[in-house]
């Protein structure tokens, strides 16, 4: 049943992007957007987008909002830390490439996880291999996979698990 | 009223561009490719987001399109960082000597 | 007041571009140059939008959007190429 949803979702995503791009909902603009979005959905029925595997339950939507909030908080916090690091004359870095595990199986959820890890500075996803992510860490307090997983992955995974089946 | 928006926008603008400058500084100071990617191409993400947000306050009519650019950047920026880091590692570029561990290199050796 | 904000912001952007350009010139490896190039394009994205704000022309937003798209593709292609190994 979840297989029948993607085309509609893709269509909706494309239309929203079209409206954002044009910054208007004038009838002519909207009509062109609907036609083009429809054509794309017909031509490329199989495609991945952010919403592909996203559940449409209330819990999933709440988790999405919470995820965005948590993400923005982490983004700001980590950037301030990175700025302090760069401005420190001694440049107190302690880097390591660590290995962390993810329980997520949905490809889009994994992509979001990898992106979130990368966008919160201090950590950078270098390679993904099956359930493992290799993450470069500027100031690594640990190189133990379990402890690193708790520190890097757990915060984001908590929400992504609810959002994607 | 527009005076207040201008002040908020101006402060965001300066905060954002300051992060851009920090990112550039990090790019220059960091010892190896991986730490440069960390400091350089990512501090600039928040920097750009804040800058564009500030401009949205100064020019509210542009807010929608600025939001679109911000969304786009939030997806592509980490992706290009990741792809670059992976390319560096696959090309065999070793991390700086003070790097404590490289689990990826260890696992690759184990597999080979 | 607003002018002071804009001049400060423009100076900070100039500083960021100078740093990134220094890294671009210094390298030492091709990957470092691509990283610096990536940073240069991200920073100039802000510069383009700021220029649009100063001149009051919304067309700069479309320029910035297309620019962001192209630079992203450029970096991906460059990274793919570098993956084959260098030196």
């Amino acid at each position: 049943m979840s297989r029948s949803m993607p085309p509609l979702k893709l269509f909706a995503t494309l239309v929203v992007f079209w409206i954002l791009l044009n910054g208007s909902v004038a009838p002519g603009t909207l009509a062109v957007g609907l036609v083009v979005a429809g054509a794309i959905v017909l031509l490329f029925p199989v495609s991945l987008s952010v919403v592909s595997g996203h559940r449409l339950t209330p819990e999933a939507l709440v988790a999405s909002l919470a995820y965005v909030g948590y993400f923005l908080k982490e983004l700001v916090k980590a950037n301030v830390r990175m700025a302090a690091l760069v401005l420190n004359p001694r440049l107190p870095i302690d880097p390591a490439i660590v290995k962390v595990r993810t329980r997520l199986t949905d490809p889009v959820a994994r992509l979001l996880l990898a992106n979130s890890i990368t966008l919160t500075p201090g950590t950078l996803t270098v390679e993904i291999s099956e359930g493992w992510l290799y993450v470069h860490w500027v100031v690594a307090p640990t190189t133990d996979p379990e402890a690193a997983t708790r520190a890097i992955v757990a915060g984001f995974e908590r929400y992504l698990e609810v959002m994607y089946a | 009223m527009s005076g207040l928006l201008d002040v908020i926008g101006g402060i965001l603008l300066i905060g954002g561009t300051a992060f851009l400058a920090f990112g550039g500084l990090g790019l220059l100071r960091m010892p190896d490719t991986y730490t440069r990617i960390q400091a350089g191409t990512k501090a600039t993400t928040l920097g750009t987001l804040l800058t564009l947000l500030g401009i949205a306050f100064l020019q509210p009519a542009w807010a929608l399109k600025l939001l679109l650019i911000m969304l786009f950047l939030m997806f592509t920026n980490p992706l290009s960082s990741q792809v670059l880091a992976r390319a560096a590692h696959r090309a065999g570029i070793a991390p700086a000597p003070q790097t404590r561990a490289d689990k990826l290199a260890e696992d690759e050796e184990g597999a080979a | 007041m607003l002018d002071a904000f804009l001049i400060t912001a423009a100076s900070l952007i100039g500083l960021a571009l100078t740093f990134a350009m220094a890294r671009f010139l210094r390298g030492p490896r091709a990957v470092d140059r691509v990283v610096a190039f990536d940073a240069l394009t991200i920073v100039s994205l802000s510069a383009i939008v700021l220029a649009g704000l100063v001149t009051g022309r919304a067309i700069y937003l479309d320029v910035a959007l297309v620019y962001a798209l192209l630079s992203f593709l450029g970096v991906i292609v460059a990274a793919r190429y570098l993956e084959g190994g260098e030196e």
Side-chain angles (χ1 to χ4, degrees):
Chain A
M1 51 153 265
S2 67
R3 288 282 170 270
S4 65
M5 274 312 286
L8 241 181
K9 280 199 241 175
L10 176 63
F11 180 76
T13 317
L14 289 171
V15 171
V16 168
F17 257 75
W18 176 257
I19 292 171
L20 280 174
L21 191 59
N22 279 284
S24 99
V25 281
T29 325
L30 200 58
V32 172
L34 291 173
V35 169
V36 172
I40 292 176
V41 171
L42 288 179
L43 286 173
F44 305 98
V46 186
S47 57
L48 278 181
S49 83
V50 202
V51 289
S52 297
H54 201 296
R55 287 188 193 149
L56 283 173
T57 59
E59 302 91 72
L61 296 176
V62 170
S64 299
L65 286 178
Y67 176 73
V68 172
Y70 177 75
F71 169 76
L72 290 177
K73 196 190 81 193
E74 288 294 304
L75 180 65
V76 172
K77 204 168 76 182
N79 263 288
V80 170
R81 226 180 280 155
M82 179 59 95
L85 204 64
V86 167
L87 292 175
N88 188 318
R90 288 186 299 109
L91 200 66
I93 60 171
D94 183 15
I97 296 180
V98 300
K99 189 177 171 179
V100 296
R101 181 193 278 291
T102 175
R103 291 193 299 265
L104 299 170
T105 50
D106 185 274
V108 178
R110 278 192 185 170
L111 174 71
L112 275 182
L113 175 68
N115 271 9
S116 301
I117 290 174
T118 297
L119 259 186
T120 48
T123 51
L124 165 71
T125 312
V126 179
E127 186 84 76
I128 306 180
S129 170
E130 275 133 53
W132 294 99
L133 281 86
Y134 296 88
V135 177
H136 182 272
W137 213 349
V138 168
V139 183
T142 174
T143 57
D144 171 59
E146 293 304 317
T149 300
R150 272 196 302 280
I152 298 175
V153 176
F156 292 116
E157 211 173 46
R158 197 160 32 130
Y159 301 108
L160 288 169
E161 258 176 349
V162 185
M163 288 158 62
Y164 293 89
Chain B
M1 185 53 212
S2 77
L4 182 65
L5 285 186
D6 281 358
V7 171
I8 297 173
I11 289 169
L12 285 170
L13 196 58
I14 290 182
T17 47
F19 271 111
L20 292 180
F22 296 155
L25 187 62
L27 196 61
L28 202 54
R29 290 195 68 198
M30 287 297 188
D32 69 2
T33 309
Y34 305 98
T35 45
R36 275 173 212 144
I37 295 174
Q38 292 257 27
T41 73
K42 293 195 296 156
T44 50
T45 308
L46 182 68
T48 310
L49 292 184
L50 290 178
T51 305
L52 297 187
L53 191 65
I55 291 175
F57 272 96
L58 296 172
Q59 189 66 266
W62 293 3
L64 267 186
K65 201 166 269 187
L66 287 170
L67 181 72
L68 186 65
I69 299 178
M70 285 155 84
L71 280 176
F72 180 77
L73 209 70
M74 276 168 73
F75 272 97
T76 59
N77 226 349
L79 266 178
S80 45
S81 298
Q82 267 152 238
V83 170
L84 280 173
R86 195 177 66 174
H89 209 280
R90 286 190 181 169
I93 295 175
Q98 71 259 52
T99 306
R100 282 196 296 166
D102 186 347
K103 298 275 188 202
L104 180 54
E106 285 168 27
D107 282 6
E108 274 168 355
E109 236 158 70
Chain C
M1 180 72 162
L2 188 57
D3 280 352
F5 281 137
L6 292 178
I7 290 167
T8 312
S11 315
L12 286 167
I13 287 180
L15 203 60
L17 289 174
T18 311
F19 288 141
M21 188 47 103
R23 173 50 71 198
F24 182 80
L25 294 174
R26 206 187 278 183
R29 286 165 182 275
V31 178
D32 296 296
R33 288 184 216 275
V34 179
V35 171
F37 175 79
D38 191 26
L40 276 171
T41 56
I42 299 165
V43 176
S44 28
L45 181 80
S46 289
I48 292 172
V49 180
L50 193 66
L53 179 75
V54 173
T55 57
R57 298 183 59 183
I59 188 75
Y60 279 82
L61 294 181
D62 297 289
V63 174
L65 196 61
V66 174
Y67 185 76
L69 188 71
L70 289 179
S71 82
F72 172 62
L73 292 177
V75 169
I76 298 291
V77 170
R80 278 273 161 215
Y81 171 74
L82 291 173
E83 251 175 37
E86 50 172 322
E87 279 143 79

